[in-house]
Amino acid sequence: MQKLKSFKELLDTPKKIVVTTHYKPDADALGSSLGLASYLTKKGHEVHVISPSDYPEFLNWMDGEKDVIDFEAGGNEEKSEKLVGEADLIFCLDFNCLYRINELGDMVGESNAVKVLIDHHLEPERFADYEFWSTQAAATAELVYKLIVDLGDRDQIDASIAECLYAGIMTDTGQFKHPNTTKNVHLVTADLIELGADIAKVGRYIYDNNSLDRLKFTGYALNNKLKVIKDLRTAYFWISSEDLKKYNSKTGDTEGLVNYALSLKGVVFSAVIIERPDTIRISLRSKGDFSVNDFAKEHFNGGGHPNAAGGISDLSLQETVDKFERIIKTYKKQLNKNFHKTN
Ligand code: 5GP
Ligand code: MN
């Protein structure tokens, strides 16, 4: 409580603020950042949102999105360095280790600004002066809502802010069906509706906004790039850079693919292994108590949550697939243990 009091005092006078979030932000990362940024702007602060990279087009309806600085876009590295260097406060949202924001991480690490972490991932790196961190929260957006309310500013949450926060909660709960969908999630969501969020509109923008290329890519991947290993209750996609090129794949187009693999009857563990320009990225999901966070941490230099995590590999795509197949064999017992409970 003492911390909240001193944090509130910090915000009593206008500050220069940078809000940043993880590489390739999803709806929770960008929604919580923009919702918080709008609130802080309303309170009289000078706020800039810096994203370490671009993000899916289906998020560009969010209020304030036009002003987001994409660190990787031409000329923005210097601009970001200046803003981070001059900031009084830096908010880090929806990630908890500085390597998740690439080169921006070094700048943030070296800055003298007061650092504020708002996050719900496991095992945070301890770099922040203030931590609003809880793994009980389904989404960072849920924590941003709580923080604004705890600061006594619920009435500052307008419809646009409510929609940004709702987007984060809706997507990080898998449309309110993952086990992280608590009573509090529904209470917060109900209040966001009360505050003016048009939830049907947000749902349409995020889920009914596919390009034909994206739909065809999904069909191609389902037909040609999905491998099911029945005795390990595992299914995974492997996607090469040529596959992505062939379907003119844009940022965000592969989001959700991993859920198709997990939706298979009998499958408790799914993965998407994708060849990106700089690295191989791995997306992991599970049903029940098989911890993909542990799996990602142990084998693919990553992390996340018990049922949704990600990581990277510096091997080739084929070598990564071989490594993945080799490793999962050693988890046969765990993968089969809870089968009847989860299916
Ligand atoms: P996704 O598969 O949607 O990219 O990520 C699933 C979850 O794992 C998200 O909460 C995301 O923030 C986290 N995650 C993804 N990749 C990494 C990674 O490389 N390192 C860590 N620590 N977390 C990750
Ligand atoms: Mn999140």
Side-chain angles (χ1 to χ4, degrees), residues 212-228:
L212 190 55
D213 275 337
R214 184 184 184 187
L215 275 193
K216 287 191 171 175
F217 168 75
T218 305
Y220 163 76
L222 285 168
N223 267 306
N224 303 290
K225 313 289 295 197
L226 175 63
K227 182 162 176 187
V228 183

Side-chain angles (χ1 to χ4, degrees), residues 88-106:
D88 302 310
L89 273 135
I90 301 176
F91 284 81
C92 298
L93 267 65
D94 203 38
F95 70 95
N96 62 22
C97 24
L98 289 172
Y99 82 85
R100 294 272 286 143
I101 55 173
N102 298 0
E103 289 112 275
L104 199 51
D106 296 333

Side-chain angles (χ1 to χ4, degrees), residues 5-20:
K5 192 166 170 271
S6 77
F7 180 69
K8 195 173 157 62
E9 280 163 11
L10 203 61
L11 292 176
D12 272 349
T13 50
K15 294 287 187 306
K16 288 186 176 174
I17 295 178
V18 164
V19 178
T20 189

Side-chain angles (χ1 to χ4, degrees), residues 259-323:
N259 297 321
Y260 282 104
L262 195 68
S263 74
L264 274 165
K265 191 173 170 180
V267 162
V268 298
F269 179 36
S270 70
V272 174
I273 304 170
I274 304 184
E275 187 180 16
R276 295 291 183 195
D278 45 342
T279 188
I280 305 290
R281 286 225 43 100
I282 299 137
S283 214
L284 301 162
R285 298 291 185 271
S286 67
K287 294 173 195 155
D289 33 351
F290 182 71
S291 169
V292 287
N293 173 64
D294 290 347
F295 186 89
K297 211 170 55 181
E298 197 156 333
H299 305 293
F300 292 104
N301 210 4
H305 310 282
N307 295 118
I312 50 172
S313 157
D314 48 20
L315 302 170
S316 71
L317 177 62
Q318 188 55 55
E319 285 165 346
T320 306
V321 167
D322 292 344
K323 174 180 167 180

